[in-house]
Amino acid sequence: MRQLAHVDLRRREYIVWSSSRSVAGMWVMNGRFRRLPAGTGPGDLGAAVQWALDGSTEGVPQPPLRGAPPPFQPVLDDLGLPTYAKYMTGTRSTTVERDNDSVVITPYHNGGARGGFVPLPDAATRLDQPDADALGTAVAEALTRST
C-alpha cells in the first residue's frame, strides 16, 4: 500500500501532515498534522514523518468540492491563516511516499499561489527501510533542495 506524508518548512517550523487516497484516486489531507520547531533533531522529525505515514490510508470518501471547508483547513486554522495562498508564502515543501519498505522523498518548487508546489523529481531521494534518524535527515536535506 502506498502512503503519503508531507513536510513543509514555514517560518522556522516544520508542518508534518498526512494524506490519504480517496475512492476517486485523489490524495487528500486527512486531518493528521503536527507542528515542530525547525531545530527539531532528525530522529524526532523522522518519527513525526513515520506517524504521518502510518495515518495515510486508501479508500477514504471523496471530499465535496463545494460547500465544505477544504481538507487542509485544520492546518490553516491552527496557524491562524485565512488562505492556503498565505500558507504558501515563503514555504518550502517536500513529500514522503512509502511503498512497503521503500521511501521516496521529493522536494518541491514553490510556484506561488498560481503555480502551486511543483515536484522536483530529479532531486528525489530513495531510501530502503530507513529508521527515524535517516528519514529525518533525508527530509531536512530535501527541504534545502526545495525552492
Side-chain angles (χ1 to χ4, degrees):
M1 176 173 85
R2 288 175 55 199
Q3 297 169 300
L4 185 64
H6 309 259
V7 182
D8 297 334
L9 181 58
R10 183 182 190 283
R11 297 195 178 182
R12 302 172 43 93
E13 182 175 43
Y14 293 115
I15 313 297
V16 180
W17 52 286
S18 180
S19 287
S20 291
R21 187 176 289 200
S22 74
V23 292
M26 294 175 53
W27 289 100
V28 294
M29 200 277 187
N30 61 26
R32 277 176 84 107
F33 71 95
R34 287 188 177 162
R35 296 170 63 182
L36 304 168
T40 298
D44 290 335
L45 177 58
V49 173
Q50 289 171 334
W51 170 83
L53 288 167
D54 290 343
S56 179
T57 61
E58 293 182 351
V60 301
Q62 183 67 30
L65 297 177
R66 294 189 178 124
F72 200 71
Q73 193 64 48
V75 176
L76 298 178
D77 291 346
D78 197 57
L79 294 170
L81 295 171
T83 64
Y84 189 72
K86 291 285 185 192
Y87 176 82
M88 288 187 72
T89 302
T91 298
R92 293 177 172 263
S93 186
T94 189
T95 58
V96 181
E97 186 174 343
R98 181 167 66 190
D99 193 357
N100 297 315
D101 293 333
S102 178
V103 173
V104 176
I105 302 156
T106 305
Y108 279 64
H109 167 72
N110 185 337
R114 288 187 172 239
F117 286 113
V118 180
L120 301 171
D122 291 342
T125 301
R126 180 188 166 137
L127 303 172
D128 291 318
Q129 299 180 324
D131 63 13
D133 282 329
L135 184 56
T137 297
V139 165
E141 288 173 358
L143 285 165
T144 67
R145 293 191 302 274
S146 69
T147 58

